[in-house]
Amino acid sequence: MATTANGLAALEGHVPDEEKPGFKTGNHAGQVRTCETTGLPVCLTAQRFIRLNAVAAVVFLLIGGVAALLLALTRWPTVHLLPADWYYRVLTAHGLNMLILWIIFMEIAILYFAGTTLLNTRLASKGTAWVAFGLMVAGALAINGAVWSGKADVMMTSYVPLQAHWSFYLGIILFAVGALIAVINFLATLYIAKRDKTYAGSVPLVVFGATAAAIIAVVTLLHGAVVMIPTFLWSLGLTEAPDAAWYRLVWWGLGHQSQQVNVCAMVSVWYLLGTLTTGAKPLNQAVCRGAFVLYILFINLASAHHLLVDPGVGAGWKIWNTSYAMYLAVLASMIHGFTVPASIEVAMRKKGHNKGLFGWLFAAPWKNPGFSAFFLSLVIFGFLGGITGVTLGTQQINIIAHNTLRIPGHFHTTVVGGTSLAFMGLAYYVVPLIFQKEYPAKALARLQPFVFAGGITVMAIAMSFAGSYGVPRRHWDINFTGAQFSAGFDSTAHLMMGLVGIGGTIAFVGLLIFLLLTVAAVFFGRSNAGKKMEAW
Amino acid sequence: MSISFPEQGWFKAPSAGERLWIGLAIAWCLVLTLAMPYWHFKGKQNSTGEAYRVTPAEFYQRAQKFIEAYKVGEDRYTAIVQPPPGTDVYLTARMWRWDPVLKLKKDQTYRVHVGSMDLNHGFSLQPVNMNFQVVPGYDHVLTLTPTRAGEYSIVCNEFCGVGHHTMAGKIIVEE
């Protein structure tokens, strides 16, 4: 804390030093280094597990990415690459590797970072972190083994009574238990930091957001246990099949809520990258934190919008739940959608970029891929993802959208153009700061977020248009060759499917640049240990 | 900064700009909240969610009885059924076909029972693009009034195994 010489210190005198917000004595017992760039204390145990989880995340991103390219080239009518059975198999693998494995491994890395470095504490338990990581890797391998060997062509949702090999369900359970243990390790880290008084004051906003994500994750993973354990027992032949409608209800308590964990983690990463790239400060801590609390309280209701045209639940239940209790979780996103860019604007204006209404935005550090990935993620998630999400979650509109390509058109702008892109932006800081390696070919890295965002935007918009012509998702042949009765779609829908293929391919190129640069940096990059990271 | 500890006294009311934005957002949320139930009653486009538990075997029996009673022909090994207006109509989904072909009259109302013999299926009526989930173990009752004559296809839009993309049925609406 800086002392002031102008007499103000006397006014603040009633706050003893040990209670002033900030870092106090850490509890690392020597297992710590000070980051040369940010000056933050990095717990060496946490650093190891941040690295391990980030590497695992990128490996599964690679698998999911190759699957994505194959799918884009199959749904592009002129190319129609894969045979039907492999299309469905690769689609199952794509969903699981991307939505579950890549994103959750990355989120565990974020939790370990936010829990330790920002609170000046050590990780609560090294052994627990190993157990969590081991279970998650074992689960991920079991899932991929079952899917790629053709024993689980059931899509990510695996709606019963469609049955996969038991190792598939076991893999999901192992992965979920591992993730739950990692989340508990994060919560325990918060506890020991408080107990050991490693800091004073309220936790930083990023830690608050990460904690909100962790709380939603616990609720999500419990839903996963409730639905997956009976399904696993059924796949072993020990019990009857669970009720198909019950499965859909509880599965979406897992399936959709895990997306809300992603939203929460992504918004925290937005705040983090906003600070790292422009020095932005949250304008009003109470407003930002209040919005996170709204997520915790209301976002779980959103799972219901998957059942809007289902039998088994009534119209009143559907309307109340899909409105997230009067759109209070949407309100939270609207608030972040204001506070995040506003904090950037204030930071940029303070640096003197005051020309016109948007001069601050043009002057923003667009050459920094950490910034461009973050800001493009904000725009894609907010304008495309958020608006389509609220629209599709309306009872009336859902009738013309359910299970059409409008649904993947929506979520490729939330979890891919939103979350995945934000996490890529994060990687441009994780690698230099935590792996202490510099990215090679920085010019290519500067370009990468634009290529990826452009491709995914074209693909998602084309998907949405094709879906509004009725084109189903998860479908190998929209010409219905060999079907009993003829069916098909407008020629505009075919044009849109071509654009899905082209946009998907461009997005894959963006992904490939990210993967190659990141792998090159981690394994062959110049070390910056003992130095500041090079400015982007 | 979002990664550092907030100063003491950080808990304060939003400023004018923030209050305006949050106020607008809340107002919009309320509009959306009221719009959904309003159009549910006013628009009369939505299913009330009428559904009953039924075993696939029992649903099959009812559907067979219905087909025998009103069968008027056959098309590609599938019965064409013309039920009198106002009656209960049965449509079964299974890997990978829809049974039977329905012949309905324009502007007449039918109670269409949709059920599955095996897995989840998706009832997707094209080209009007109307979609409902078909869940095994449930009799999903849709009260439908066709408003335009013509031939419509029913495609499956819930993944139901490797033949999923060959699952298409037919509804004929006559003047």
Side-chain angles (χ1 to χ4, degrees):
Chain A
M1 293 289 113
T3 49
T4 47
N6 57 6
L8 280 174
L11 289 174
E12 288 170 0
H14 63 279
V15 183
D17 254 3
E18 63 270 21
E19 284 176 27
K20 276 193 184 157
F23 288 150
K24 303 299 161 198
T25 313
N27 57 3
H28 302 91
Q31 291 298 301
V32 65
R33 69 176 175 89
T34 302
C35 175
E36 282 80 9
T37 309
T38 61
L40 292 168
V42 181
C43 160
L44 296 179
T45 313
Q47 173 175 281
R48 171 188 279 174
F49 286 102
I50 294 167
R51 288 178 180 179
L52 282 171
N53 280 284
V55 166
V58 169
V59 168
F60 293 110
L61 179 65
L62 172 66
I63 299 174
V66 171
L69 179 68
L70 295 172
L71 297 175
L73 293 178
T74 304
R75 295 218 72 169
W76 187 347
T78 326
V79 186
H80 211 231
L81 182 70
L82 295 175
D85 54 343
W86 273 97
Y87 167 76
Y88 293 121
R89 192 163 300 154
V90 169
L91 183 51
T92 307
H94 171 65
L96 288 157
N97 279 291
M98 290 304 212
L99 213 44
I100 308 286
L101 306 182
W102 140 250
I103 288 187
I104 295 182
F105 270 116
M106 201 67 184
E107 282 165 352
I108 300 302
I110 293 169
L111 289 185
Y112 286 162
F113 159 76
T116 57
T117 299
L118 299 182
L119 294 182
N120 189 27
T121 181
R122 63 176 174 87
L123 189 67
S125 165
K126 186 173 162 185
T128 309
W130 273 119
V131 171
F133 185 71
L135 284 172
M136 286 171 73
V137 169
L141 294 177
I143 293 169
N144 270 295
V147 172
W148 290 107
S149 63
K151 289 176 185 160
D153 296 337
V154 294
M155 302 292 127
M156 191 186 85
T157 44
S158 59
Y159 292 136
V160 301
L162 191 61
Q163 195 180 57
H165 189 256
W166 56 264
S167 60
F168 173 80
Y169 306 108
L170 183 65
I172 293 178
I173 292 169
L174 290 178
F175 183 82
V177 170
L180 188 60
I181 292 173
V183 170
I184 291 168
N185 202 7
F186 163 75
L187 295 172
T189 303
L190 298 188
Y191 168 74
I192 63 161
K194 189 93 192 154
R195 183 196 64 193
D196 298 344
K197 298 194 172 64
T198 59
Y199 66 94
S202 308
V203 299
L205 180 60
V206 170
V207 181
F208 192 88
T211 309
I215 291 169
I216 302 173
V218 170
V219 182
T220 303
L221 293 165
L222 291 177
H223 277 87
V226 170
V227 72
M228 276 302 152
I229 290 170
T231 309
F232 172 59
L233 295 176
W234 162 67
S235 72
L236 287 172
L238 298 175
T239 51
E240 292 286 297
D243 181 84
W246 172 87
Y247 179 94
R248 282 174 58 80
L249 175 71
V250 187
W251 193 89
W252 281 110
L254 164 73
H256 203 91
Q257 277 196 85
S258 55
Q259 306 323 309
Q260 318 298 11
V261 179
N262 300 342
V263 171
C264 236
M266 173 190 67
V267 174
S268 307
V269 168
W270 286 350
Y271 283 114
L272 175 64
L273 286 174
T275 294
L276 289 176
T277 57
T278 69
K281 265 183 172 162
L283 299 183
N284 184 320
Q285 294 272 356
V287 170
C288 301
R289 286 166 200 240
F292 278 118
V293 173
L294 286 177
Y295 278 150
I296 300 173
L297 293 178
F298 297 106
I299 212 156
N300 59 337
L301 303 180
S303 318
H305 63 224
H306 292 269
L307 311 181
L308 273 171
V309 293
D310 263 41
V313 280
W317 184 89
K318 289 174 183 177
I319 290 175
W320 171 256
N321 284 291
T322 53
S323 76
Y324 310 74
M326 304 194 293
Y327 292 97
L328 288 170
V330 176
L331 178 65
S333 290
M334 296 281 279
I335 293 173
H336 290 305
F338 177 86
T339 57
V340 174
S343 67
I344 304 292
E345 178 176 352
V346 170
M348 292 303 294
R349 282 186 190 279
K350 266 192 187 154
K351 288 181 192 166
H353 302 290
N354 273 316
K355 212 190 284 170
L357 210 51
F358 291 106
W360 61 273
L361 188 56
F362 293 118
W366 289 102
K367 281 186 174 171
N368 177 343
F371 179 83
S372 59
F374 139 63
F375 210 86
L376 290 168
S377 155
L378 175 76
V379 171
I380 294 174
F381 182 91
F383 285 96
L384 296 173
I387 291 173
T388 54
V390 171
T391 313
L392 299 177
T394 309
Q395 195 192 18
Q396 286 77 19
I397 295 164
N398 195 259
I399 292 188
I400 59 171
H402 178 72
N403 274 356
T404 69
L405 265 180
R406 278 180 83 174
I407 306 301
H410 153 70
F411 67 68
H412 280 86
T413 54
T414 54
V415 286
V416 188
T419 308
S420 288
L421 186 53
F423 287 2
M424 287 177 188
L426 184 64
Y428 290 121
Y429 279 86
V430 169
V431 172
L433 295 178
I434 300 289
F435 287 81
Q436 297 177 288
K437 294 288 179 68
E438 284 297 329
Y439 266 92
K442 290 210 169 54
L444 211 49
R446 293 185 212 290
L447 202 63
Q448 187 273 332
F450 296 96
V451 177
F452 186 74
I456 215 70
T457 304
V458 169
M459 187 192 80
I461 291 176
M463 276 180 163
S464 295
F465 277 114
S468 63
Y469 280 96
V471 176
R473 66 188 288 199
R474 301 173 164 177
H475 202 277
W476 181 70
D477 178 16
I478 60 169
N479 292 317
F480 293 85
T481 316
Q484 197 177 10
F485 294 98
S486 63
F489 298 95
D490 195 280
S491 56
T492 316
H494 286 80
L495 173 68
M496 289 299 154
M497 295 311 288
L499 287 174
V500 168
I502 292 169
T505 308
I506 296 172
F508 177 77
V509 171
L511 175 65
L512 196 64
I513 298 173
F514 170 78
L515 285 169
L516 290 176
L517 290 180
T518 302
V519 170
V522 168
F523 291 103
F524 313 109
R526 249 178 316 112
S527 169
N528 65 6
K531 284 184 294 205
K532 279 193 175 193
M533 77 176 262
E534 289 170 18
W536 269 107
Chain B
M1 294 210 271
S2 55
I3 56 173
S4 52
F5 298 88
E7 293 298 315
Q8 275 174 335
W10 58 264
F11 194 90
K12 49 179 191 264
S15 64
E18 288 166 323
R19 277 204 302 275
L20 177 67
W21 176 257
I22 295 170
L24 285 173
I26 290 177
W28 184 240
C29 290
L30 288 175
V31 170
L32 287 175
T33 303
L34 296 174
M36 217 187 330
Y38 169 74
W39 199 253
H40 180 88
F41 292 110
K42 171 81 173 143
K44 296 198 175 75
Q45 293 168 326
N46 288 113
S47 157
T48 53
E50 186 180 352
Y52 305 95
R53 271 181 196 278
V54 64
T55 62
E58 206 179 316
F59 190 85
Y60 180 75
Q61 294 292 324
R62 291 180 206 167
Q64 284 307 307
K65 223 189 258 173
F66 161 75
I67 291 172
E68 279 160 28
Y70 304 117
K71 183 171 169 178
V72 293
E74 206 165 282
D75 184 5
R76 279 164 266 195
Y77 308 104
T78 307
I80 303 175
V81 176
Q82 187 168 20
T87 47
D88 285 313
V89 171
Y90 288 84
L91 181 68
T92 61
R94 79 179 69 187
M95 297 156 78
W96 294 288
R97 54 184 285 158
W98 297 94
D99 264 310
V101 173
L102 295 173
K103 212 173 207 184
L104 307 178
K105 277 248 177 310
K106 190 185 150 208
D107 295 328
Q108 299 291 331
T109 300
Y110 300 85
R111 277 166 57 79
V112 182
H113 299 253
V114 193
S116 166
M117 296 295 101
D118 37 53
L119 305 175
N120 271 272
H121 293 283
F123 171 94
S124 179
L125 189 68
Q126 298 299 342
V128 278
N129 195 15
M130 211 154 94
N131 307 283
F132 290 96
Q133 188 78 17
V134 188
V135 181
Y138 290 83
D139 171 2
H140 195 173
V141 187
L142 305 170
T143 307
L144 292 180
T145 312
T147 53
R148 245 178 299 165
E151 271 194 25
Y152 299 88
S153 55
I154 313 167
V155 305
C156 178
N157 70 6
E158 182 61 79
F159 174 70
C160 58
V162 75
H164 165 52
H165 48 272
T166 63
M167 184 167 167
K170 191 154 88 171
I171 291 182
I172 304 157
V173 178
E174 294 184 319
E175 288 287 342

